Amino acid sequence: SYKRVLQHDGIVQYYGSSATGETLCMITEPMEKGKLNTASLKNLSMRDRLLIAVDIAETFCYILGNSLGHYELKSVNLLVNTHTHTHTH
């Protein structure tokens, strides 16, 4: 099943959804630092920046290796948690 395939450290875990009127909300694991394009990463060491790049590459290798599609690899679609790990959504 897709739920089992989507179990990966680099993929945001989906917990459920809620709808009120025309508003639909997705409930996922927390990504405290938000989107990569707006996260405060200026003070990160080169090592931490490289770890983020490795996280992204490993996750996309996993996604493509499992014949899943993700058509927009860009910083707005990458989330960062407090441990400075990236996740795709």
Side-chain angles (χ1 to χ4, degrees), residues 13-82:
Q13 295 305 298
Y14 172 78
Y15 296 146
S17 59
S18 175
T20 304
E22 293 185 20
T23 303
L24 175 65
C25 298
M26 290 179 28
I27 303 162
T28 66
E29 68 179 296
M31 292 286 115
E32 296 87 353
K33 290 190 178 182
K35 297 175 183 180
L36 183 61
N37 69 323
T38 59
S40 178
L41 304 175
K42 293 177 185 174
N43 297 325
L44 289 181
S45 67
M46 181 56 72
R47 179 184 181 280
D48 286 339
R49 290 172 189 243
L50 289 172
L51 288 174
I52 288 173
V54 168
D55 281 348
I56 294 167
E58 287 176 348
T59 300
F60 273 84
C61 283
Y62 178 83
I63 289 171
L64 295 174
N66 283 283
S67 300
L68 302 171
H70 194 291
Y71 302 101
E72 296 187 278
L73 174 56
K74 56 186 179 180
S75 60
V76 71
N77 290 332
L78 299 169
L79 304 174
V80 184
N81 66 17
T82 56

